[in-house]
């Protein structure tokens, strides 16, 4: 103002008019000099005033790092490289700008949930390719990812926000030097906020180099996995070529037999003494057609090899032909839709975890339709219901068939509903040993010692059959998950929410014993595999109840009811004890206490057993009044709708929660019970037609492996990204579609390599599908 006062005190208006241009120029020069004096007084100080956002924007800005380097004791080479970089950056050199551009900086929408200032790992690594760029750094660069907690006043960031910060730095700065440098930066940034009159802090909790020290080529487990996969591939290749040869030979022989039969039919009319010599061939052809084979039956060792054939296994998995006596085809649709529901839920959770606008999750959760994601635990109850229903139907049908086809045990082992190689359900193994030990015995009130020994032996044989069928594919996925998670953790800037690279390495044996759900979540390998443990434990309970029903059906019914009611009471007690309030935002809040525990989830399985008994006893021949049909469908759909969308306020109080998490699971099974009964008895209408669609048959057979592998696919693809995703419902739906397709493709590969061969090997070893020697006539 003093300068302006001097200028305007010049005497004489004429002089002012004539020198107006000169005065304007002087004013501009003076103002520019004053501004330049304030801004360029130092390059290490940041004038942020009281702007909290400017403090965030300049947080860890490399342009102002020189003062931090001056006050931090660093290794000589690291310090020299940092000084060279910061100087070049402020001088505008291209290679320094690229380093700065590859590092993580402030990203808008911090208050809307943006926690990933990760920069670009690939851009930092690409700087070393001198053959592609004219200007490259004079030193090697390394990428680091730091976990930092940022807090800013009580209203901007009221809670410490855990964020990931990526830094492209000289390779001469190791992890220890970076930790020292960031610790010094924390003090400088905190002092800067204090000087501006507000509270702002940043604290580093962890630093890791990306990529890390892990290498697939140095992991013996990787080589072991590749060896097993190579051996399986060679077996599949040899078996497929061998079966292709046998099928070609069989086709040529069949063509020759057709000509011979045609000739015999012609000559037999004129020569009654000519007896056709093709009876044995006709019998053999009939046997092969029953098995779905296009070749002659071979010896034991050849059949063991052919169990790995892609040709026959692929046809079995992809077949869309329903069983002639199968009335429960609607279960295929329920199973397929349930597993796609699971994939949708896990897709949302994965995108939520690495989204750069996490508050959008809160906005999404306000939508009523999102409750289909937050309350999706019932989709697993569908699997439990189907498993209980199938084990009961198969047990009781085999019991009835025993007396009629006792001479042919193979028919007793046949899957009567077309659920062979089915997924997420009971292993379709012969119940014959139970019938051999019990049904031919007089039904006394008590078991003899010999009967008890035979029952115990048969019980363990049946359990072993199930484990042998399910475990090969399961063990392979565990193996693959441990290696892939370790690789992703060391290569990716994101850290997966689960630590399977540690838990699977330490606790894999719990999974193979099917007891992993009895341990805390932090110790579970493949958290989603809690279902496998529960289903196997329910299978044990179901077998005991069914075995008891052979001589004591009333006692078995009472036992089933006691187990069901005990499950409700136990779940209610645990829920109330913890004062649990169910919330749509935290569906897994009580994971360790309730979510994955068998005493909380057995309800739908037992309901399925009841339905299986009812359908078997009625043979699906039930006449239901139309008013009852209408009431049944309305009630069933009302139960399903209320369980999924009933949390109107987004939460329940303590006692409603207790009933919701206990009886709610059994209520879901009851709703599906009506669907199964109505569809089986001819009252399903369009719903039965949709659920029984032939295209669901092969997809239903693949659901077991699809359930196992889909989270691993999600982690490999998502957590290996160079940057975060942006949460939007349309994007999530498209991502979900891709995950679903990849899951079923991977499932087919795993099923055809491990699951299908295991089923065929079990049948051959147990004698159910053992080849019979043919007597040749001369």
């Amino acid at each position: 103002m003093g300068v302006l006062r001097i200028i305007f005190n010049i005497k004489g208006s004429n002089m002012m008019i004539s020198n107006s241009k000169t005065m304007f120029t002087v004013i501009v020069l003076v103002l520019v000099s004053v501004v330049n004096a304030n801004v360029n007084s130092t390059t290490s100080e940041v004038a942020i005033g009281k702007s909290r956002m400017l403090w965030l924007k300049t947080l860890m800005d490399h342009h102002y790092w020189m003062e931090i380097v001056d006050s931090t004791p660093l290794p000589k080479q690291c310090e020299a490289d940092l000084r060279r970089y910061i100087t070049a950056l402020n001088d505008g050199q291209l290679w320094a700008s690229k380093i700065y551009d590859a590092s993580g900086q402030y990203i808008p929408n911090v208050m809307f949930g943006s926690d990933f200032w990760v920069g670009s790992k690939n851009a930092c690594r690409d700087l070393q390719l001198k053959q592609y760029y004219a200007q490259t750094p004079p030193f090697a660069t390394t990428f680091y990812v730091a976990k930092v907690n940022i807090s800013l006043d009580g209203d901007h960031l009221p809670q410490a926000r855990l964020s990931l910060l990526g830094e492209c730095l000289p390779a001469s700065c190791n992890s220890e030097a970076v930790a020292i440098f960031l610790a010094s930066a924390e003090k400088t940034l905190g002092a800067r906020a204090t000087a501006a009159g507000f509270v702002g802090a940043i604290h580093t909790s962890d630093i890791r180099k990306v990529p890390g020290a892990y290498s697939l080529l140095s992991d013996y487990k990787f080589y072991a996995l590749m060896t097993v996969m190579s051996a399986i591939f060679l077996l599949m290749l040899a078996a497929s070529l061998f079966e292709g040869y046998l099928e070609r030979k069989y086709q040529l022989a069949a063509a020759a037999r057709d000509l011979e039969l045609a000739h015999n039919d012609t000559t037999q009319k004129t020569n009654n003494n000519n007896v056709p010599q093709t009876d044995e061939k006709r019998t053999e052809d009939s046997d092969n057609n029953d098995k779905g084979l296009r070749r002659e039956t071979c010896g034991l060792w050849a059949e063991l090899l052919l169990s790995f054939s892609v040709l026959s296994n692929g046809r079995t998995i992809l077949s869309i032909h329903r069983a002639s006596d199968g009335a429960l085809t609607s279960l295929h649709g329920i199973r397929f839709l349930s597993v796609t529901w699971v994939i949708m839920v896990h897709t949302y959770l994965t995108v939520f975890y690495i989204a750069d606008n996490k508050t959008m999750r809160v906005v999404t959760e306000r939508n009523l339709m999102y409750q289909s994601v937050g309350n999706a635990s019932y989709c697993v109850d569908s699997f439990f219901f189907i498993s209980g229903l199938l084990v009961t139907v198969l047990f009781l049908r085999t019991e009835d068939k025993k007396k009629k086809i006792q001479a042919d045990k193979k028919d007793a082992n046949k899957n009567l509903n077309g659920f062979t190689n089915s997924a997420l359900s009971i292993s379709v193994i012969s119940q014959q040993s139970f019938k051999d030990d019990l049904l031919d015995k007089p039904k006394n009130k008590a078991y003899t010692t010999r009967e008890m020994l035979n029952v115990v032996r048969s019980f363990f044989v049946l359990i072993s059959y199930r484990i042998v069928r399910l475990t090969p594919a399961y063990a392979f996925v565990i193996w693959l998950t441990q290696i892939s998670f370790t690789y992703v953790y060391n290569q990716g800037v994101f850290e997966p929410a689960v630590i399977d690279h540690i838990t699977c390495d330490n606790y894999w044996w719990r999974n193979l014993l099917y007891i992993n759900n009895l341990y805390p979540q932090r110790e579970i390998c493949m958290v989603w595999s809690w279902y496998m443990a529960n289903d196997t434990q329910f299978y044990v309970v179901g077998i005991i109840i069914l075995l008891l029903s052979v001589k004591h059906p009333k006692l078995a019914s009472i036992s089933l009811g006691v187990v069901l009611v005990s499950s409700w009471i136990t779940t209610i007690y645990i829920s109330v004890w913890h004062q649990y309030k169910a919330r749509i935002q935290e569906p897994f809040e009580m994971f360790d206490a309730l979510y994955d525990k068998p005493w909380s989830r057995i309800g739908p399985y037992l309901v399925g057993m009841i339905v299986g008994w009812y359908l078997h006893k009625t043979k699906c021949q039930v006449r239901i009044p139309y008013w009852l049909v209408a009431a049944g469908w309305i009630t069933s759909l009302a139960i399903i709708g209320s369980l999924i969308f009933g949390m109107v306020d987004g939460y329940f109080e303590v006692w409603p929660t207790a009933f919701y998490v206990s009886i709610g699971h059994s209520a879901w099974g009851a709703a599906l019970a009506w669907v199964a009964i109505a569809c089986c008895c001819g009252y399903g209408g369009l719903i039965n037609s949709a659920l029984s669609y032939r295209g669901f048959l092969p997809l239903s057979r693949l659901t077991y492996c699809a359930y196992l592998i889909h989270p691993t696919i999600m982690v490999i693809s998502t957590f290996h990204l160079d940057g975060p995703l942006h949460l939007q419902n349309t994007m999530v739906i498209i991502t979900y579609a891709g995950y679903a397709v990849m899951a079923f493709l991977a499932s087919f590969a795993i099923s055809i390599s491990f699951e299908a061969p295991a089923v065929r090997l079990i049948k051959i070893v147990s004698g159910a599908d053992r080849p019979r020697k043919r007597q040749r006539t001369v």
Side-chain angles (χ1 to χ4, degrees), residues 405-427:
I405 54 175
Q406 185 175 4
D408 190 359
K409 293 184 179 181
K410 172 188 172 183
D411 290 340
N413 296 333
K414 186 178 180 182
N415 179 2
L416 302 176
N417 281 298
F419 290 104
T420 302
N421 201 24
S422 62
L424 294 177
S425 65
I426 246 353
S427 176

Side-chain angles (χ1 to χ4, degrees), residues 173-304:
C173 299
N174 54 24
S175 299
E176 292 76 12
V178 176
I180 295 172
F181 182 82
L182 291 180
S184 180
E186 294 170 11
K187 298 178 181 179
T188 303
L189 296 169
R192 184 182 301 168
T194 302
F198 56 85
V199 178
I202 178 173
H203 174 69
T204 304
S205 59
D206 180 63
I207 298 173
R208 63 187 182 93
K209 182 180 177 181
V210 179
Y214 174 79
S215 173
L216 283 176
L217 300 180
S218 61
D219 189 352
Y220 72 92
K221 294 187 289 295
F222 172 72
Y223 288 104
L225 179 63
M226 291 297 103
T227 300
V228 171
M229 292 178 63
S230 300
I232 295 295
F233 175 77
L234 291 177
L235 283 173
M236 293 169 60
L237 179 62
S240 301
L241 293 175
F242 183 39
E243 186 165 41
Y245 163 75
L246 293 177
E247 289 183 355
R248 178 61 178 168
K249 180 180 177 182
Y250 183 77
Q251 291 173 358
L252 294 176
R257 288 195 299 272
D258 290 341
L259 293 175
E260 182 180 354
L261 288 173
H263 176 72
N264 289 338
D265 289 341
T266 303
T267 58
Q268 194 172 3
K269 294 178 180 180
T270 58
N271 186 2
N272 294 330
N273 293 327
N274 291 336
V275 179
Q277 302 293 325
T278 58
D279 291 342
E280 179 184 352
K281 288 294 183 181
R282 288 177 178 176
T283 302
E284 181 183 335
D285 293 348
S286 177
D287 291 341
N288 288 340
N289 290 333
D290 290 340
K291 297 179 183 179
L293 296 178
R294 304 180 184 183
R295 57 175 174 79
E296 293 184 1
T297 303
C298 300
L300 176 61
W301 291 105
E303 289 294 336
L304 290 176

Side-chain angles (χ1 to χ4, degrees), residues 337-345 372 375-376 378-379 644 668:
L337 295 177
S338 296
V339 82
T340 54
W341 190 6
V342 173
I343 297 174
M344 181 192 70
V345 173
S372 62
N375 295 325
Y378 295 106
C379 59
I644 298 177
W668 182 269

Side-chain angles (χ1 to χ4, degrees), residues 736-753:
Y736 155 65
Y739 282 149
V741 172
M742 289 302 301
F744 278 96
L745 290 177
S747 174
F748 179 76
I750 296 172
S751 181
I752 208 170
S753 302

Side-chain angles (χ1 to χ4, degrees), residues 501-514:
H501 60 292
I502 298 176
T503 55
C504 288
D505 195 29
N506 295 332
Y507 307 117
W508 56 269
W509 54 272
R510 296 175 181 173
N511 292 63
L512 299 186
L513 292 177
Y514 298 92

Side-chain angles (χ1 to χ4, degrees), residues 376-428:
S377 62
Y378 295 106
C379 59
V380 184
D381 291 333
S382 301
F383 301 141
F384 292 144
F385 170 81
I386 294 173
S387 294
L389 189 155
L390 288 180
V391 69
T392 304
V393 168
L394 292 173
F395 187 96
L396 296 177
R397 284 193 176 184
T398 307
E399 180 180 338
D400 290 347
K401 287 283 186 179
K402 167 75 166 48
K403 297 178 181 180
K404 298 179 181 179
I405 54 175
Q406 185 175 4
D408 190 359
K409 293 184 179 181
K410 172 188 172 183
D411 290 340
N413 296 333
K414 186 178 180 182
N415 179 2
L416 302 176
N417 281 298
F419 290 104
T420 302
N421 201 24
S422 62
L424 294 177
S425 65
I426 246 353
S427 176
V428 186

